[in-house]
């Protein structure tokens, strides 16, 4: 592979006037930037290799010079060690074909192996690296390929990796000194992660189907994170959260129903439990928060059973001649463990082929009976779209809303063929930005922009988005 000259690339894209550049030119500049960054990642790794023999604290020297954390310095040193072990990684960095993130992925996978599996993996690595470099694989795609190769070499259906993952399961808690917030961070094996994920999703669906609390942020990603935190709170405490003073709930607070009603709850007295005068808005928000945390535990107990939307894609059969099976989150679970996982969960299969839903549970065509998409329609949309449907948008499906291509207000039905997942930005563009969307029978999408440009994409092709 040819070595990239960063100075030459930078000189090239500096000649481009970004204010008047075409889309093709802008994409070309982005590609040049990617190659420059990859090349600089290689230079940084080479410097780290030399610092390792020249200073007793290479991590700190790297971190100080880069104005980054010591963790960054350690990561760069690990990249240097990986390049020493696999020279083809260094060649890909020099060519700007793979980035430091690709090297990090390789390092993590290699470090998780041992014995004959590690030896066999190291032998197969050069070809895997060359393939990734020439195909333009993302770090996530590269990681999936490496894991698949390691499992094939182990020939145990992924059980060796699964056992290592179970041993690596951790949960850490601490208090953030700056914000004062209590925090937790967990790492779980894929089976446990699937169970937790399914329980949280089921709890969120049960608690927030009709209404969300006023504390919910407007940003789609922040909104989901907030609701997920409330679902975890209800699952772990059963809703039995005490107030600031005493363990007895406010006698004026009435329990919500399972999904909460549509009326705002307000503290008409404007006083706290101790009788001190408080800000009415603050008291109202406190009462509403208490209502959710005290009463929604019942919803999670009844509806907290995990639910998995299992997508069976028959478009391209795998090496074993079986369809591709996707559990809705980026996990890999050995087949020997699938049976136990299914025994304690509700499994909702959706069969797809060539971007079309062949079979799915539930009613997919609601006509004009309701404006809101039901859970069956959302499951079917999730089966064929990993992200927002607009070409190039990587917002996760979880942060999208079903959009009526033929608007509801104009007589459009709530039928699966008329629904499209859009993120908040593109949902706004469709309603207020003058975008005109046309969805073909094969779900090919055409978007006419106000400036006369047209975007077009064929039938959706499922690509699992990493978390």
């Amino acid at each position: 592979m040819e070595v990239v000259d960063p100075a030459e690339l930078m000189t090239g894209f500096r000649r481009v006037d970004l204010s008047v550049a075409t889309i093709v030119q802008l994409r070309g500049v982005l590609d040049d930037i990617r190659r420059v960054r990859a090349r600089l990642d290689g230079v940084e790794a080479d410097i780290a290799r030399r610092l390792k023999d020249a200073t007793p604290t290479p991590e700190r020297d790297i971190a100080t010079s880069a104005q980054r954390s010591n963790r960054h310095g350690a990561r760069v040193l690990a990249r240097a060690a990986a390049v020493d072990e696999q020279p083809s990684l260094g060649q890909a960095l020099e060519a700007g074909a793979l980035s430091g993130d690709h090297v990090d992925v390789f390092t993590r996978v290699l470090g998780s192996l041992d014995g004959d599996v590690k030896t066999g993996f190291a032998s197969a690595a050069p070809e895997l690296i060359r393939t990734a470099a020439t195909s333009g694989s993302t770090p996530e795609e590269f990681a999936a390929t490496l894991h698949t190769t390691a499992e094939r070499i182990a020939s145990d259906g992924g059980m060796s990796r699964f056992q290592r993952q179970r041993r690596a399961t951790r949960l850490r808690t601490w208090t953030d000194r700056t914000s004062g917030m209590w925090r937790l961070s967990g790492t779980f094996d894929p089976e446990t992660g699937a169970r937790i994920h399914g329980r949280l999703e089921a709890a969120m669906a049960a608690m927030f189907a009709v209404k969300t609390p006023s504390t919910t942020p407007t940003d789609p990603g922040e909104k989901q994170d907030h609701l997920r935190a409330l679902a975890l709170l209800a699952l772990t405490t059963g809703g039995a959260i005490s107030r600031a003073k005493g363990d007895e709930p406010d006698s004026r607070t009435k329990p919500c129903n399972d999904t909460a009603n549509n009326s705002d709850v307000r503290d008409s007295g404007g006083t706290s439990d101790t009788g001190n005068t408080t800000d009415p808005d603050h008291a109202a928000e406190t009462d509403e928060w208490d209502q959710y945390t005290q009463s929604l535990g019942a919803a999670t107990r009844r509806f907290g059973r995990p639910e998995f939307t299992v997508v069976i894609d028959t478009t391209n059969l795998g090496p074993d001649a079986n369809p591709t099976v996707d559990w809705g989150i980026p996990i890999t679970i050995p087949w020997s463990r699938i049976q136990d996982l299914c025994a304690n969960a509700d499994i909702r299969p959706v069969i797809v082929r060539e971007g079309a839903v062949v079979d799915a549970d539930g009613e997919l065509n609601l006509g004009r009976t309701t404006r809101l998409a039901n859970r069956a329609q959302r499951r079917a949309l999730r089966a064929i779209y990993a992200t927002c449907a607009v070409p190039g948008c990587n917002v996760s499906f979880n942060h999208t809303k079903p959009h009526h291509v033929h608007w509801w207000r104009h007589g459009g039905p709530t039928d699966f063929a008329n629904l499209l997942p859009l993120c908040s930005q593109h949902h706004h563009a469709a309603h207020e930005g003058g975008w005109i969307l046309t969805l073909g029978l094969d779900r090919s999408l055409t978007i006419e922009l106000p400036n006369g440009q047209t975007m077009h994409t064929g039938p959706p092709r499922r690509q699992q988005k990493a978390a």
Side-chain angles (χ1 to χ4, degrees):
M1 288 179 277
E2 184 180 354
V3 176
V4 166
D5 182 353
E8 182 178 335
L9 284 177
M10 292 179 68
T11 300
F13 67 65
R14 279 176 178 170
R15 296 194 186 102
V16 177
D17 185 348
L18 299 181
S19 63
V20 295
T22 65
I23 292 179
V24 173
Q25 288 175 316
L26 293 175
R27 289 173 178 166
V29 170
L30 288 173
D31 185 62
D32 287 344
I33 292 174
R34 174 189 61 80
R35 296 173 65 195
V36 168
R37 283 177 174 160
R39 179 69 180 94
L40 293 179
D41 284 342
V43 173
E44 192 176 34
D46 188 44
I47 292 173
R49 183 186 302 107
R50 299 176 187 278
L51 281 175
K52 185 178 179 180
D53 298 328
T55 174
T57 57
E59 297 98 333
R60 195 168 79 178
D61 290 344
I62 295 169
T64 300
S65 298
Q67 295 184 345
R68 303 284 295 276
S69 67
N70 285 340
R71 181 178 298 179
H72 172 75
R75 184 164 56 245
V76 174
L77 282 173
R79 289 175 182 174
V83 169
D84 286 340
E85 187 161 349
Q86 285 293 336
S88 52
L89 281 173
Q91 295 168 5
L93 288 173
E94 290 180 343
L98 295 182
S99 68
D101 291 338
H102 290 84
V103 180
D104 295 342
V105 164
F106 181 87
T107 301
R108 286 195 296 270
V109 175
L110 185 65
S112 69
L113 306 177
D114 50 34
D116 293 339
V117 176
K118 186 171 186 176
T119 301
F121 180 82
S123 299
E127 182 59 32
L128 297 174
I129 293 167
R130 280 192 290 271
T131 300
T134 55
S135 65
S137 296
T138 65
E140 293 79 13
E141 293 167 343
F142 186 44
T145 299
L146 296 180
H147 284 305
T148 300
T149 301
E151 290 167 10
R152 176 179 54 78
I153 294 172
S155 300
D156 62 358
M159 281 303 297
S160 295
R161 180 187 175 203
F162 178 73
Q163 293 300 332
R164 289 193 301 272
Q165 291 169 328
R166 283 217 152 164
R167 290 193 294 269
T169 295
R170 300 286 189 276
L171 183 66
R172 185 169 71 94
T173 66
W174 74 100
T175 300
D176 189 298
R177 294 182 179 180
T178 302
S179 65
M181 299 289 284
W182 183 79
R183 304 186 67 178
L184 75 162
S185 174
T187 301
F188 301 92
D189 66 84
E191 182 182 343
T192 303
R195 293 180 188 275
I196 295 173
H197 176 84
R199 191 75 186 271
L200 285 172
E201 291 295 307
M204 289 171 66
M207 294 194 296
F208 308 118
V210 175
K211 181 190 175 186
T212 59
S214 60
T215 54
T216 305
T218 56
D219 177 82
E222 293 291 329
K223 173 183 177 180
Q224 292 299 312
D225 291 344
H226 182 70
L227 298 182
R228 192 175 294 109
L230 293 182
L232 177 63
L233 181 65
L235 284 169
T236 54
T237 65
I241 306 300
S242 62
R243 296 172 65 85
K245 280 285 186 181
D247 293 329
E248 293 299 322
D250 191 332
S251 60
R252 294 164 299 180
T253 300
K254 298 179 181 180
C256 299
N257 59 26
D258 289 343
T259 55
N261 55 44
N262 286 314
S263 61
D264 289 333
V265 179
R266 289 293 177 261
D267 181 350
S268 58
T271 59
S272 68
D273 290 345
T274 59
N276 295 327
T277 302
T278 60
D279 175 65
D281 290 335
H282 174 74
E285 182 175 295
T286 299
D287 277 353
E288 184 185 21
W289 178 276
D290 285 343
Q291 284 189 320
Y292 272 87
T293 56
Q294 290 172 5
S295 64
L296 290 178
T300 62
R301 284 192 291 274
R302 280 187 284 174
F303 302 105
R305 182 177 170 90
E307 176 182 294
F308 297 117
T309 300
V310 181
V311 181
I312 304 171
D313 192 344
T314 62
T315 304
N316 297 307
L317 301 182
D320 55 359
N322 289 323
T324 302
V325 179
D326 180 2
W327 286 79
I329 55 177
I331 59 174
T332 302
I333 299 176
W335 278 105
S336 59
R337 302 297 308 172
I338 294 292
Q339 186 173 0
D340 288 342
L341 185 65
C342 295
N344 299 304
D346 294 328
I347 308 300
R348 305 290 185 180
V350 180
I351 301 176
V352 302
R353 181 174 181 82
E354 299 291 346
V357 174
V358 177
D359 186 53
D361 288 343
E363 180 57 60
L364 299 185
N365 297 311
L366 303 178
R368 295 285 297 173
T369 60
T370 178
R371 182 179 64 85
L372 299 177
N374 63 16
R375 294 181 69 179
Q377 291 171 323
R378 291 173 182 273
R379 286 194 295 262
L381 287 172
R382 181 193 295 271
I384 54 178
Y385 295 97
T387 64
C388 171
V390 173
C393 183
N394 290 320
V395 173
S396 169
F397 178 89
N398 292 334
H399 299 159
T400 65
K401 289 183 178 180
H403 166 72
H404 290 72
V405 178
H406 179 196
W407 292 7
W408 171 263
R409 74 178 69 165
H410 296 161
T414 306
D415 290 345
F416 181 70
N418 191 42
L419 297 176
L420 199 67
L422 296 181
C423 66
S424 59
Q425 176 185 348
H426 292 127
H427 202 269
H428 177 81
H431 280 279
E432 284 86 25
W435 287 24
I436 300 176
L437 278 61
T438 305
L439 192 62
L441 294 177
D442 62 351
R443 301 199 74 87
S444 57
L445 176 64
T446 301
I447 304 175
E448 299 177 48
L449 304 179
N451 62 5
Q453 290 185 326
T454 299
M455 291 192 295
H456 179 79
T457 182
R461 291 290 181 266
R462 301 191 73 258
Q463 289 187 347
Q464 181 62 45
K465 181 179 174 62

